[in-house]
Amino acid sequence: MSGTDLPTGDPGHPDELRDEVAQLHEAMKSQRDIGMAIGLVSARYRCSTEQAWRTMLRVSQDSNTKVRSVARVLVAVHDGTASADEQRVLASFLDHLPASGWPAGPSTGEDPSP
């Protein structure tokens, strides 16, 4: 849990509860994206999940971007749902990824190695 105590009295603060629920939903989505991105990086670069996590941390630190944003962009590009802004963000990550880079479009299911 988040360590936040649940309200014990009257539900007189529905806005606070709504905000907390929204934050929890965002946290769950971020965790899902991070897990998916770790799997994608692991598969793409044929590395362990620990190495994939470290790669994402390095990209995050080197590009001054939150890990959840790195994950969101990698997943969106993989799925083919990336916006033009997300494609530009991916371009800024390329210098921080392993030499073989990251595909610019959705996965075709084919082996990325030559």
Side-chain angles (χ1 to χ4, degrees):
M1 294 282 282
S2 66
T4 304
D5 292 332
L6 294 174
T8 56
D10 96 67
H13 303 286
D15 290 339
E16 290 175 15
L17 292 175
R18 223 182 334 270
D19 289 347
E20 185 171 355
V21 168
Q23 289 172 357
L24 291 171
H25 280 284
E26 183 61 30
M28 287 175 40
K29 183 181 181 326
S30 293
Q31 287 297 327
R32 186 189 72 218
D33 288 345
I34 290 169
M36 290 173 58
I38 288 171
L40 292 170
V41 170
S42 179
R44 170 72 180 145
Y45 299 112
R46 293 186 172 94
C47 62
S48 71
T49 55
E50 179 63 28
Q51 290 168 320
W53 170 244
R54 287 188 200 151
T55 297
M56 287 179 52
L57 285 177
R58 188 180 65 248
V59 170
S60 170
Q61 292 170 350
D62 292 350
S63 65
N64 196 26
T65 306
K66 292 183 178 186
V67 172
R68 68 177 179 242
S69 297
V70 171
R72 187 189 73 245
V73 168
L74 295 178
V75 170
V77 169
H78 172 78
D79 288 346
T81 60
S83 66
D85 285 340
E86 290 169 324
Q87 289 285 350
R88 281 191 290 280
V89 171
L90 174 68
S92 73
F93 294 164
L94 294 180
D95 290 339
H96 309 289
L97 288 167
S100 59
W102 191 264
S107 174
T108 61
E110 295 178 19
D111 186 356
S113 60

